[in-house]
Amino acid sequence: MTGTLFGAVAGGIGFGLLSDRFGRVRVLTWTILVFGIATGLCAFSTGYWDLLAYRTIAGLGFGGEFGIGLALVAETWPASLRARASSYVALGGQAGSLAAAVLTPALLPHIGWRGMFLVGVIPVTMSFALRRILPEPTIFLESRSHAHAAAPVWLLIKDGATIRKSIGVTILCSVQQIGYYGLMTWLPYYLSVRHGLSIARSAAWTSVTVMGMSFGIWTFGQLADRIGRRPSFFLFQAMAAVMVIAYSRLEQPWELLVGGAVMGIFVNGMLGGYGTLISELYPTEVRATAQNVFFNIGRALGGFGPLLIGYFAARYSFTTAIALLASLYVIDLIATATLIPESKGIQLS
């Protein structure tokens, strides 16, 4: 997991830069090829180190794909539907995770772990279809004729206003990932140890929370296109803080079931908005780089979420750990209010 995470951060930044130089569709194809081939090679690993190497390389493709896809969608869909389209990309990621959770126990007894890695080669065939079906966005092609002289990454901090936006987006992406990984890592343990749910019931209750997260992503996209980006973030950030605290005080199994679903809506629903927000705050020549840099900074910091919650839970209590998590969403609110401008309806530049 550590190798994949490290590769995802490096790949996200590297492939983002390449996408802003060579094109969304072309580099998106490269990320799928890297991920698929490296995942397939895992099936032939003979020990720890070569498996680690393959997983790290697969992480390069995994980390690069998400942000490029978001930039591609933002540059293709009209402004009035942009947030909804971005949320559909995030929902695709949720659907992939759910499919993996369902297919792994069904296929693993029959094809083994090496066979499961070979299944990962299937996306390679998709890359060839992408190159044939998807054209490069017109706005990207036009931007190539007057490309900025500076390297794209420096455009993320080119002046005071841009630096403020970049700090704000970094905070938002980091809180999102810390909250998600922290909750999803500890939730089954919390349900089974503190509340005595069996492993099967803990898994079922966690699945309901994940379904709530998916509904939240869809809902966020709908709201952001109707009432604006900032009001939607304000609503979800405030409710995430409230629901995390409220959930930590629930006792009955049915309360935990319903409360987990509602908490999931607000804790992970904001994932449906980052793609649109970042696409609208940064110009075409740095858009894919911005998507991947900020999201993967958040992913890197998100890896510490489970450690922080575990540390405070062990040293103090789960209630203290949950309160700490809720305070992060308050920081999120402040960052949105002071650093993030409204971008609903703007035409991409």
Side-chain angles (χ1 to χ4, degrees), residues 48 51 60 91 116 124 138 158 162 174 177 183 195 204 234 238 244 266 280-281 298 309 319 325:
Y48 173 79
L51 179 60
L60 294 173
L91 278 173
M116 293 302 300
V124 173
T138 301
K158 67 178 182 178
T162 305
S174 298
Q177 303 277 15
L183 280 174
H195 293 284
F234 287 147
V244 166
F266 297 106
E280 293 172 343
L281 294 183
I309 291 180
T319 301
L325 182 59

Side-chain angles (χ1 to χ4, degrees), residues 43-292:
F44 303 99
S45 61
T46 58
Y48 173 79
W49 291 109
D50 59 337
L51 179 60
L52 177 64
Y54 298 144
R55 292 294 292 159
T56 302
I57 295 171
L60 294 173
F62 170 72
E65 172 270 333
F66 188 66
I68 297 172
L70 287 170
L72 176 61
V73 166
E75 293 171 351
T76 305
W77 285 62
S80 60
L81 300 173
R82 195 177 291 139
R84 274 168 276 192
S86 175
S87 72
Y88 300 153
V89 176
L91 278 173
Q94 291 285 106
S97 298
L98 181 60
V102 171
L103 291 175
T104 297
L107 295 178
L108 187 61
H110 304 288
I111 63 177
W113 66 270
R114 293 184 186 273
M116 293 302 300
F117 278 120
L118 288 175
V119 172
V121 179
I122 294 175
V124 173
T125 61
M126 296 170 52
S127 66
F128 296 104
L130 283 174
R131 290 296 295 271
R132 290 180 175 273
I133 296 172
L134 296 178
E136 289 290 349
T138 301
I139 189 173
F140 171 79
L141 295 175
E142 292 174 348
S143 75
R144 294 301 85 204
S145 62
H146 52 273
H148 201 283
V153 69
W154 296 112
L155 298 181
L156 302 179
I157 52 173
K158 67 178 182 178
D159 53 38
T162 305
I163 290 173
R164 287 193 294 274
K165 290 189 295 186
S166 296
I167 292 173
V169 172
T170 299
I171 292 172
L172 265 61
C173 290
S174 298
V175 171
Q176 168 68 35
Q177 303 277 15
I178 291 171
Y180 175 79
Y181 285 114
L183 280 174
M184 295 312 296
T185 299
W186 284 103
L187 191 58
Y189 178 85
Y190 177 76
L191 291 170
S192 62
V193 173
R194 174 158 182 177
H195 293 284
L197 273 65
S198 66
I199 294 176
R201 292 186 79 189
S202 294
W205 265 235
T206 302
S207 297
V208 170
T209 300
V210 172
M211 287 189 285
M213 290 178 172
S214 298
F215 180 72
I217 291 171
W218 179 85
T219 302
F220 192 98
Q222 302 295 316
L223 283 176
D225 272 336
R226 289 172 168 82
I227 67 174
R229 296 13 172 173
R230 276 165 49 99
S232 300
F233 275 109
F234 287 147
L235 173 62
F236 274 65
Q237 290 160 351
M239 288 302 299
V242 170
M243 284 308 304
V244 166
I245 292 292
Y247 187 81
S248 70
R249 285 163 167 71
L250 300 178
E251 294 293 340
Q252 298 300 318
W254 70 268
E255 294 175 337
L256 293 165
L257 184 68
V258 176
V262 177
M263 178 179 67
I265 290 173
F266 297 106
V267 166
N268 206 45
M270 290 174 282
L271 186 62
Y274 297 114
T276 295
L277 181 69
I278 296 171
S279 291
E280 293 172 343
L281 294 183
Y282 297 91
T284 301
E285 57 263 42
V286 74
R287 183 164 295 121
T289 300
Q291 293 280 4
N292 276 347

